[in-house]
Amino acid sequence: MSLRRSGAALVAVALVATIQVVTPSQASPVPGAPACPAFPADSFWRADVSTLPAHPMSSTWVTSVGTTARLKADFGSGTWDGGPIGIPFTTVSVAQPRVPVSFDYADESDAGPYPIPPNAPIEGGPASTGDRHVLVVDRDACRLWELYSAYPQNGGTAWSAGSGATWDMRSNAMRPAGWTSADAAGLPILPGLVRYDEVASGSIDHVIRFTAPRTANAYVWPASHKAATGGASDPPMGAWFRLNAGFDISGYSAENQVILRALKKHGMVLADNGSSWFMSGAPDPGWNDEDLNRLRNIPGSMFEAVDVSSLPQSSTSYAVNGPVTTTTVTPTTSTTATTSTTSTTSTTVPPAGQLVANPGFETGLGGWNTGDSRTTLARTCRVAHSGGCSAEIGRRQSAGDAVLDDSPNSVTSSAAAVYGGSAWVKAPAGRSVTLRLREYRGSRLVQARTSTVTGTGSWQQVNVLLTAGGGTSVSIDVLVSLTTTLKAQVDDLSLRRM
Ligand SMILES: [Ca+2]
Ligand SMILES: [Ca+2]
């Protein structure tokens, strides 16, 4: 999260303060889903790569994609070959019935059912023989569903597809390494599309998806899958390029300048095999195809590959390292404001005692979410440690850790205090159960403390302590190693400042 720095440090003396979190800059929401961020503000999609060093392989990779091949806006208004130009998407409500989807690559696809409406727009149109991507946003759950090579069956009561993937649009969790998505790079497609509403607003604040004809037998973060259509002198999936800072954009239309500024600041990520330097976008009647075609005079030699090795927080997250950020503190008791040349982290300490807002799941799952896309989360009132209900976690499709995560984090201002976490977990015998506290400074992980026990089939308590070290938030998670047929229940979570 990019929270604004405060100019003056507020020295709080034994106060109970209200923490006012400045809303991070978000991507323009997808039309039709105004409440959903197109992935978190600290995801790689938002990263500014304009000042990062060039990649050592830049000239090799640019040569592979083509120094004389020209930039292409692979989207527009009107139709081409009977279909819309670009990759369309649609939005649905949470009430959209889910339909089964069969996959050619089932072992690397997220299992259905998917909330695909019968009339969902298909890339290239209903008769297309191309990639036939279908992108659907559940605007209530802020969940993205994407299919590749999608064909409706029986009037859309079921679909067949090459592959498919679903993402929580508020999460930075990546797909398992080596898994494809609806894209060859294992990435979501929607957040990388150039949209007309963005250009009309004057700013594209994200990385753009693009294609190249040959890719190495490798992928690099943020990609998680390779297509291996080329060799060692070709860029890997996930390779990141930007338009040279010195490229003069003044002769282009205002709309094209919006795209070109984004290519300088955020750049474009190689996400699929296709024509050289083809940028992906969504079809829209607002596009001026003739004007977009003027981008065609920009050769590949105007681009360079960027070394983004300083960006990732981990190989399993889209989150990027950013500048250290601070919260804005609105004191409610007497404070002394001092002028400082360096901004400091809020020193506010949360009150002693229980900090988890919904520890027992008696009325719902509020304040909790899945820690990754492979976890299922439901509330059950068949079994509970106390009260009548508990949270039940499981795994979809593959074995691994199911993760229950407080969302937002229970502690938003950690200061230098000691925190004790506790959870009651009923896990199948022999499965590992971990309670984890993680401290963050802004979006950067400072430290993690875990405690692991082995499931017994009965309720058991897990405890862990964390001494905060200058972070700004503390997250509590429960991880249980499960298979697709096993469930575990969690109840009576606690996170206390000691
Ligand atoms: Ca309960
Ligand atoms: Ca959390």
Side-chain angles (χ1 to χ4, degrees):
M1 299 221 291
S2 72
L3 300 174
R4 206 170 291 278
R5 278 167 182 264
S6 56
L10 291 172
V11 179
V13 183
L15 64 90
V16 177
T18 304
I19 305 302
Q20 180 192 341
V21 176
V22 178
T23 305
S25 64
Q26 295 285 9
S28 322
V30 173
C36 300
F39 289 83
D42 66 345
S43 87
F44 83 89
W45 292 107
R46 302 278 98 67
D48 179 347
V49 300
S50 59
T51 60
L52 293 181
H55 196 284
M57 293 291 285
S58 180
S59 68
T60 304
W61 291 350
V62 169
T63 299
S64 164
V65 185
T67 53
T68 59
R70 312 248 158 184
L71 184 66
K72 163 81 171 174
D74 194 20
F75 48 89
S77 58
T79 60
W80 189 80
D81 253 13
I85 304 172
I87 303 177
F89 64 90
T90 190
T91 65
V92 299
S93 79
V94 75
Q96 174 65 44
R98 297 191 177 191
V99 295
V101 184
S102 61
F103 294 107
D104 298 336
Y105 301 97
D107 56 337
E108 292 181 18
S109 295
D110 291 327
Y114 281 48
I116 311 290
N119 62 348
I122 299 167
E123 180 187 8
S128 169
T129 56
D131 282 359
R132 297 185 65 96
H133 287 116
V134 167
L135 316 184
V136 176
V137 173
D138 177 339
R139 73 178 78 96
D140 298 317
C142 293
R143 181 162 279 282
L144 171 62
W145 304 80
E146 297 189 344
L147 299 176
Y148 159 70
S149 194
Y151 290 84
Q153 310 291 321
N154 300 319
T157 55
W159 289 70
S160 69
S163 54
T166 178
W167 283 269
D168 179 346
M169 297 169 76
R170 296 166 297 203
S171 168
N172 278 319
M174 288 172 64
R175 294 177 68 64
W179 284 35
T180 192
S181 58
D183 218 344
L187 293 165
I189 292 171
L190 180 69
L193 298 181
V194 178
R195 308 194 314 263
Y196 182 73
D197 64 284
E198 297 175 298
V199 169
S201 79
S203 172
I204 295 169
D205 65 355
H206 61 78
V207 177
I208 294 169
R209 174 190 192 264
F210 89 103
T211 61
R214 293 176 312 281
T215 50
N217 183 23
Y219 57 84
V220 293
W221 181 94
S224 56
H225 184 260
K226 63 189 179 183
T229 53
S233 61
D234 298 313
M237 287 293 175
W240 201 323
F241 296 77
R242 69 183 167 213
L243 182 60
N244 288 333
F247 183 81
D248 180 6
I249 67 172
S250 62
Y252 292 87
S253 68
E255 291 80 6
N256 283 340
Q257 287 190 30
V258 172
I259 297 171
L260 295 173
R261 278 198 301 273
L263 287 172
K264 287 185 176 183
K265 181 177 181 181
H266 302 290
M268 53 184 176
V269 163
L270 179 51
D272 203 356
N273 283 127
S275 300
S276 292
W277 308 117
F278 271 39
M279 293 183 289
S280 302
D284 194 287
W287 289 123
N288 178 334
D289 293 350
E290 188 182 338
D291 187 45
L292 286 173
N293 205 41
R294 297 194 180 103
L295 296 172
R296 204 81 172 110
N297 68 5
I298 302 175
S301 57
M302 292 298 112
F303 290 87
E304 62 186 345
V306 190
D307 178 357
V308 298
S309 57
S310 63
L311 287 184
Q313 287 186 12
S314 86
S315 61
T316 59
S317 171
Y318 289 143
V320 299
N321 294 309
V324 172
T325 56
T326 61
T327 51
T328 301
V329 178
T330 306
T332 53
T333 59
S334 137
T335 62
T336 308
T338 59
T339 307
S340 170
T341 53
T342 58
S343 75
T344 63
T345 300
S346 157
T347 55
T348 315
V349 180
Q354 173 67 285
L355 300 165
V356 172
N358 176 21
F361 309 102
E362 291 310 302
T363 59
L365 289 166
W368 296 96
N369 211 329
T370 57
D372 65 42
S373 65
R374 315 303 299 167
T375 298
T376 63
L377 171 62
R379 180 166 159 260
T380 177
C381 296
R382 286 180 298 99
V383 55
H385 175 256
S386 71
C389 304
S390 64
E392 185 169 83
I393 53 177
R395 288 278 299 182
R396 64 174 102 241
Q397 191 136 16
S398 63
D401 278 340
V403 185
L404 177 69
D405 184 6
D406 62 343
S407 178
N409 291 342
S410 298
V411 175
T412 54
S413 174
S414 60
V418 178
Y419 295 87
S422 168
W424 284 87
V425 182
K426 185 174 184 290
R431 313 308 298 192
S432 81
V433 177
T434 298
L435 181 64
R436 178 174 67 186
L437 298 184
R438 287 185 294 182
E439 183 186 15
Y440 289 91
R441 183 175 178 87
S443 57
R444 187 157 47 89
L445 182 65
V446 175
Q447 60 169 329
R449 289 289 179 274
T450 61
S451 176
T452 300
V453 299
T454 302
T456 61
S458 303
W459 287 103
Q460 55 194 140
Q461 189 176 22
V462 199
N463 294 287
V464 67
L465 276 180
L466 177 143
T467 302
T472 51
S473 72
V474 176
S475 174
I476 182 170
D477 312 321
V478 173
L479 299 80
V480 183
S481 72
L482 294 172
T483 67
T484 54
T485 56
L486 296 176
K487 303 284 186 201
Q489 292 81 34
V490 185
D491 204 354
D492 295 328
L493 286 124
S494 171
L495 180 61
R496 309 179 86 85
R497 185 173 73 74
M498 311 301 274

